[in-house]
Amino acid sequence: MHMPEPRLGSAVDVHTHLGERSAFSEFFLRGIINSVHESLPEADRDPSALALIARLAESSLRDEDGMRMLRAMDDAGIAHAVLLVVDFFYDDDDGEERLALVHEMHRRIVRRFPDRFTVFSGVDPRRGIAAQSILKAAFEQGCRGLKLYPPCGFEVDDDRLWPLYRLCQQHRFPILIHTGPSVPGMLVPTRFATALKRAATAFPEAPFILGHALVGDFDAHLELAASLNNVYLEISGFQTYGFGSDALVGLLQCAVERVPERVLFGSDWPLFNFQVSPRRWLEQLDGQRQRAGIGDAEWALVMQDNARSLLRLPASASDHSEHAPAAQGVHSR
Ligand SMILES: [Zn+2]
């Protein structure tokens, strides 16, 4: 049987973070290190394993210029990635300054590699008026979307978000929202689906991307996407199902069947890459979608086409135009 070549070099990853320590809070990093440790088989968990993961994280999270990430993208065939700034600094005295530095660090990378990266700003709505000016400035300086991290301490229909959503809607810039819990000690949103529905209904021209949509309350996420055509499902966190999971096959099938034009590939680099490369995760994901019976044309939507139109990126240079129609079986013209 002929296996089509995966279209390496043309994927678009809509959910990544710069693997640089200074872009995260100490509290969050500690939480990530603990959760990687907790994901190990019980017999492997002990203080020395924890210390090893901490050392690995410390040594690998040094990528201020994005070059390490770029090499991993090249290896995995990822043409373009959305870098998400997260505002973890609301509680810090110098939080606004830190957030400004993090934005600047990201902008430097996009200026250097404009066709490889897009940056979404990140701002905590509890900053009130300041959040509006931070986002406005970020858009003026080249950010093309907003990342929200509700576990920091807000729901997605917080009044203070309305001016931010309005600004995104004006530009047609997406809002990518972390769904589900985060590390221990952070807020677990309890009324996400209701709150998201309110927001996405109030701003119908603003695209709302549900990050990690296959994890946690998938049914609620799918229902939101099926009923509101400005709601997208982003699949990072698929890694939590491990290799060869039947559950993941079923979820991919459901999502692609119901809303094929609004499923987006995301990897959440570097959070699942301390031990496994993006390339290996992508190969595993491709195996799962084949098991799910998702054809090449539909999968190309997930891996790049949906994101390209949402982000208004040029069509892929390595994408030969005859591929898409052939894969869809359209030969009549
Ligand atoms: Zn993330």
Side-chain angles (χ1 to χ4, degrees):
M1 196 175 99
H2 172 69
M3 281 293 203
E5 282 278 310
R7 294 203 272 165
L8 283 179
S10 47
V12 178
D13 184 344
V14 304
H15 188 149
T16 72
H17 304 279
L18 189 60
E20 167 56 38
R21 273 189 310 183
S22 55
F24 300 95
S25 66
E26 306 311 316
F27 176 82
F28 181 75
L29 274 186
R30 182 46 56 184
I32 290 296
I33 289 163
N34 287 335
S35 65
V36 172
H37 179 248
E38 274 151 34
S39 73
L40 296 175
E42 200 167 344
D44 298 341
R45 280 179 240 159
D46 60 30
S48 70
L50 184 61
L52 176 69
I53 295 163
R55 276 202 305 280
L56 259 172
E58 290 283 311
S59 62
S60 63
L61 291 176
R62 291 168 191 270
D63 194 26
E64 194 173 339
D65 60 5
M67 291 308 290
R68 192 171 159 264
M69 180 178 176
L70 207 48
R71 280 194 296 276
M73 285 165 65
D74 286 342
D75 180 56
I78 295 169
H80 195 94
V82 177
L83 284 164
L84 304 170
V85 172
V86 187
D87 183 1
F88 283 120
F89 314 110
Y90 175 70
D91 293 322
D92 300 348
D93 292 334
D94 60 347
E96 268 192 50
E97 289 79 12
R98 273 194 84 177
L99 185 60
L101 288 173
V102 172
H103 273 91
E104 180 49 33
M105 185 164 45
H106 285 74
R107 273 201 301 273
R108 272 198 298 273
I109 297 171
V110 175
R111 274 201 297 268
R112 193 166 163 203
F113 302 105
D115 51 346
R116 303 302 300 276
F117 295 105
T118 294
V119 175
F120 284 11
S121 177
V123 63
D124 189 318
R126 293 173 297 168
R127 296 185 187 280
I129 296 284
Q132 299 175 37
S133 33
I134 291 169
L135 187 64
K136 200 157 175 276
F139 286 173
E140 280 159 10
Q141 289 160 353
C143 288
R144 298 181 60 81
L146 169 65
K147 164 67 183 267
L148 293 177
Y149 206 79
C152 285
F154 57 90
E155 295 274 358
V156 294
D157 62 347
D158 188 304
D159 286 347
R160 291 164 291 190
L161 280 166
W162 252 234
L164 308 184
Y165 290 153
R166 194 167 300 123
L167 198 58
C168 290
Q169 178 164 265
Q170 275 164 18
H171 292 272
R172 301 288 192 272
F173 285 165
I175 299 135
L176 194 151
I177 301 173
H178 171 95
T179 67
S182 179
V183 302
M186 297 189 89
L187 176 82
V188 181
T190 51
R191 37 181 296 277
F192 176 76
T194 316
L196 193 280
K197 190 171 185 174
R198 264 195 77 206
T201 307
F203 297 93
E205 309 294 329
F208 286 80
I209 305 173
L210 309 188
H212 320 305
L214 303 187
V215 186
D217 198 351
F218 171 72
D219 291 340
H221 301 156
L222 185 64
E223 205 38 57
L224 285 164
S227 60
L228 296 161
N229 62 15
N230 57 331
V231 175
Y232 291 71
L233 306 175
E234 178 271 304
I235 68 169
S236 71
F238 68 86
Q239 298 96 329
T240 58
Y241 291 98
F243 291 91
S245 148
D246 290 329
L248 180 58
V249 169
L251 297 173
L252 287 170
Q253 229 161 17
C254 264
V256 171
E257 199 175 285
R258 290 285 290 282
V259 287
E261 261 133 39
R262 278 180 285 118
V263 184
L264 303 165
F265 167 65
S267 74
D268 213 2
W269 163 272
L271 296 184
F272 295 100
N273 304 108
F274 296 122
Q275 286 133 319
V276 180
S277 70
R279 182 195 183 98
R280 197 155 158 242
W281 281 126
L282 268 187
E283 285 168 355
Q284 117 88 9
L285 183 63
D286 200 63
Q288 299 296 80
R289 72 92 182 175
Q290 291 189 29
R291 280 179 59 201
I294 301 170
D296 291 353
E298 270 174 312
W299 193 240
L301 293 177
V302 176
M303 292 306 295
Q304 58 159 314
D305 298 338
N306 294 342
R308 281 184 195 280
S309 57
L310 186 62
L311 300 169
R312 286 166 279 170
L313 299 173
S316 162
S318 60
D319 181 17
H320 303 294
S321 54
E322 72 269 23
H323 279 188
Q328 285 163 344
V330 178
H331 297 291
S332 54
R333 277 175 299 159

